[in-house]
Amino acid sequence: MDAQSRGRAENIDPADQWVLNPNTGEYELRLGNSAPQSPGSPVPGPRASRRGRAADPEAGRGRGGAAVREAPERGSEVPQPRRRRGAEPEPPPGRRNRRPVKKKSKAKKIVAWTGGGLALVLVATGSAGYLYLKHLEGNVSATDVGDAAKQGFSKDDAFNILIIGTDKRTGAGNEGYGDKNSVGHADTNILLHVAKDRTNATALSIPRDMIVDVPDCETNQPDGSKKVIPGSSQVRFNTSLGQEGRDAGCTMRTVKAVTGITPDHFMMVDFNAVKTLTSAVGGVKVCLKHAVNDKDSHLELPAGESKIEGEQALAFVRTRHAWGNQGDLDRIKVQQQFMGSLMRDMSSSDTLTNPRKLLDLAEAATNALTVDQGIKSVGTLKDIALEMKKVPPKNITFLTVPVNDNPAEKVHATVVVDQNQGPEIFDAINNDVSFTDVKKKEKAAKDAQAARLKGSRSAPSDVRVRVMNGGAADGSAQETLNWMQTEKSILKSENAGNAPAELSKTTLEYAPDQAPQARELAALMGLPGSALKPGKSVENAQGLPAMSLTLGKDFKGAGVSLTAPAKAPEVTDKSTADKVECAS
């Protein structure tokens, strides 16, 4: 390619060159007259002005003056790929010997997903090109939070992602928002739990002004050293990030300390994310019960439905004075309604079938995002998107941590966890229990597991078991052994040390003739039917057959039941992603 032609090719918007290959049902990126982009193709650079392309008198000519097909305008049909030189012509419609092309759903190949209004939108296509994916990966920032986050992502497990929106001012136009001296506190916080069977998800908002104890936190310094930042007692939740140099791992540890739920990963964005993502998708629909004219945030909207983006969208999710009692809890409700609307827009056909919009979203989302090292690759983010896409919007529940006014304050400015309602909600999320009515995919399997608990039970003195630690806290096996022998009269028990491998869930393996023993031990320990694993026995220290009890990462302590609640507690103040609600 000569210099002149190469210059013109670089000015072509990649979004205008996506074409549908009828043989594969996939969109392919074709630059000019080239074949689909290969791993050796250059990464698309910054796109030129669309008006600038039209003003180029040579833009319509290719090598040797040949006419080049013009790129489609936004929203137009994507052109079909050209037939290669020398290829057999495609048979005309109606030919009997024509093989029908099986087209796949575009929505299954082009995925746009968001974990919240301040989180992630990721586009993934099978033929986007290796180098373009690496280009997107270069947009994503990553923070090493050590063992606060998992090292990788599993498609087969339930997962928890902590979504953090900071109040740090970065970028032009953000001078009017947040504290100009803020180091980036945890201003908006959502713990997103996605069920193992993908039938449901729960987005739990955590108030920034909730009083908590922030635990000690080990952080990685720029020079490679580690520094332990001392914890703080009875402080606002938002200080778990930024204050004293705390990173997102400190916020993750604080969530675990408060709720008992362990975040697997985090995704963090600042004010710019709301502006860039809403503009990239073409605006988000919102509904207001009354007109708003807020002088502080400069939000001015009529009653009823409006479409907002950019600065206006940021003002919508940031303002407090326009809603309810003008407090943070009312703002959280509005943010949840905004996220539900954004999710619906992301999954609409207008988004999923528009290559230009998807590329804009990919660039905006990856540029806005900071994540932990375990999910920094675009491939992993794509996997998370695909798993989240499986959850029906009607089964995505928005909740807020139940709170009460802080009793230590005369003038109420902060809140504390409601110890009557909070633990029930935390326990349901921790045990993968849905807050919506769903048809469980594994109902037959669950019925079979429950059946293992039914039947005759042995006396405690007849239960013979070896206890191993398979991921529980250090000393759990000995603690459990002491509890069995001193409080439950299970004297035929012994500590077998560490298991060969760590387990996420506690298990009890037994031979068929040991089923009565297994049922008795399950009843005493509060083990669910899913923990019972029919199998074989092992020899104990005396050479006698015994069951194997392996304490997994879910183990909560000797005598603490592991049986999940049959259903989630009733929560009056909740919403789901499929419902259109008007902010008030």
Side-chain angles (χ1 to χ4, degrees), residues 22 28 52 54 89 93 122 146 157 213 228 297 310 352 361 377 404 413 451 458 483 523 539 549 556:
E28 297 180 355
L122 180 69
D157 296 325
D213 291 336
V228 175
S297 66
L352 294 176
L361 284 169
S377 76
N404 296 319
S458 301
W483 174 81
E539 288 187 358
L549 174 65
K556 302 175 182 178

Side-chain angles (χ1 to χ4, degrees), residues 100-169:
V101 176
K102 182 179 180 181
K103 294 187 178 180
K104 303 176 184 178
S105 168
K106 296 175 184 177
K108 291 184 179 179
K109 291 185 289 296
I110 304 178
V111 178
W113 172 84
T114 178
L118 300 174
L120 164 73
V121 182
L122 180 69
V123 58
T125 63
S127 55
Y130 171 79
L131 288 181
Y132 185 64
L133 291 179
K134 297 302 289 184
H135 161 69
L136 291 178
E137 196 166 293
N139 291 345
V140 180
S141 299
T143 299
D144 184 359
V145 295
D147 60 4
K150 287 186 175 180
Q151 294 303 306
F153 173 74
S154 172
K155 300 179 184 179
D156 301 320
D157 296 325
F159 60 90
N160 302 314
I161 295 180
L162 180 61
I163 300 165
I164 306 171
T166 76
D167 59 2
K168 188 173 184 178
R169 290 181 174 185

Side-chain angles (χ1 to χ4, degrees), residues 384-465:
I384 293 174
L386 291 173
E387 293 307 308
M388 185 62 195
K389 183 66 179 175
K390 296 176 182 178
V391 183
K394 67 178 182 179
N395 291 332
I396 301 175
T397 304
F398 294 108
L399 304 174
T400 303
V401 172
V403 294
N404 296 319
D405 289 330
N406 187 355
E409 297 175 334
K410 291 183 178 180
V411 177
H412 298 304
T414 60
V415 295
V416 296
V417 176
D418 183 334
Q419 293 301 328
N420 291 322
Q421 300 182 52
E424 287 186 318
I425 290 177
F426 304 153
D427 193 43
I429 294 174
N430 229 351
N431 287 285
D432 212 19
V433 179
S434 175
F435 285 83
T436 58
D437 293 328
V438 298
K439 295 180 179 180
K440 292 290 185 179
K441 298 178 180 179
E442 302 172 359
K443 186 177 184 304
K446 289 183 181 297
D447 290 344
Q449 292 168 357
R452 295 171 191 163
L453 299 173
K454 298 177 181 179
S456 61
R457 288 159 43 182
S458 301
S461 58
D462 293 330
V463 174
R464 187 180 289 112
V465 60

